[in-house]
Amino acid sequence: MKTLITEEQIRSRVFELAERIARDTSSGTLHVLFILKGAFVFCADLIRALSSHKLDITVDYAIAKSYVGTQSTGEVKCSVDVDIKDREVLVLEDIIDTGRTIQALKEELQKMGPTSLRTVCLLDKPSRREVDMKVDYVGFEIEDRFVVGYGLDCDEKYRHLPFIAIME
Ligand code: IMP
Ligand code: MG
């Protein structure tokens, strides 16, 4: 396993993302919706980075799953039981690969009538994109390598690592 992005690099990028997200939040309230499981570490850090920006923040989760091992199954299973009507929503994802997970989830959420729906991901693999999907905020663009750590797993392992590493 080889480190791709260090703990320190992640920390400073998360603060930059928080600043941009706060600047773009017009109502002063933000409903953060993180996608289980992978995004829980990123969410914990981002909401605390947002705390200095004087927003009213609420947090909820959605479940989306498309991967088994290191392969995308292509079929996305979403489970969203949230109240986002008339709210300014930020969907938080660990990594965008084909784009299918975030697209399927966005379609579900859009039907629920949020005031706005923005997306943030820590990692983006643009070369793998299969659907036309624009993410509002991206932490790091990476090459097409399978990565773990900082919430990301390979068959449920390595989520606890504080950095991002490439599986060899
Ligand atoms: P997409 O639907 O193909 O965009 O896949 C997004 C989901 O696949 C993410 O939420 C991750 O759970 C998983 N995923 C994609 N690439 C990786 C990776 O390199 N490491 C770990 N999980 C990944
Ligand atoms: Mg995931």
Side-chain angles (χ1 to χ4, degrees):
M1 204 178 291
K2 187 169 153 274
T3 302
L4 179 68
I5 306 171
T6 66
E7 199 174 348
E8 192 47 50
Q9 286 174 312
I10 296 172
R11 186 177 305 124
S12 63
R13 188 69 182 133
V14 166
F15 275 96
E16 287 171 9
L17 290 172
E19 202 161 326
R20 286 180 46 207
I21 290 164
R23 209 186 306 139
D24 295 346
T25 304
S26 50
S27 67
T29 69
L30 188 62
H31 191 57
V32 177
L33 196 63
F34 69 97
I35 305 180
L36 284 177
K37 297 177 194 172
F40 75 105
V41 179
F42 179 37
C43 183
D45 283 347
L46 188 73
I47 56 176
R48 286 178 294 173
L50 282 166
S51 69
S52 58
H53 293 279
K54 308 263 181 288
L55 298 171
D56 283 330
I57 306 252
T58 49
V59 184
D60 207 342
Y61 64 88
I63 299 172
K65 203 174 182 311
S66 71
Y67 261 70
V68 177
T70 60
Q71 294 301 311
S72 176
T73 59
E75 180 201 345
V76 183
K77 294 196 182 82
C78 289
S79 163
V80 263
D81 178 20
V82 290
D83 178 17
I84 56 165
K85 186 156 172 46
D86 301 329
R87 292 166 104 166
E88 205 166 339
V89 176
L90 179 72
V91 178
L92 193 152
E93 176 63 304
D94 48 7
I95 185 165
I96 313 284
D97 187 48
T98 64
R100 291 189 188 283
T101 305
I102 193 93
Q103 194 190 45
L105 194 68
K106 263 186 97 171
E107 278 169 17
E108 286 298 305
L109 295 171
Q110 207 73 61
K111 292 179 202 157
M112 299 177 178
T115 310
S116 66
L117 192 59
R118 285 177 283 155
T119 47
V120 58
C121 65
L122 182 73
L123 304 174
D124 186 12
K125 290 182 193 169
S127 64
R128 293 262 307 161
R129 202 72 87 253
E130 288 173 13
V131 293
D132 185 22
M133 177 54 223
K134 184 186 148 291
V135 188
D136 298 285
Y137 312 96
V138 174
F140 302 91
E141 280 194 5
I142 63 170
E143 286 173 18
D144 180 17
R145 308 293 295 275
F146 196 81
V147 291
V148 294
Y150 199 73
L152 289 152
D153 73 308
C154 181
D155 279 335
E156 298 303 326
K157 286 192 282 186
Y158 313 115
R159 292 191 194 275
H160 62 293
L161 300 177
F163 49 84
I164 304 281
I166 297 173
M167 291 286 292
E168 307 275 11

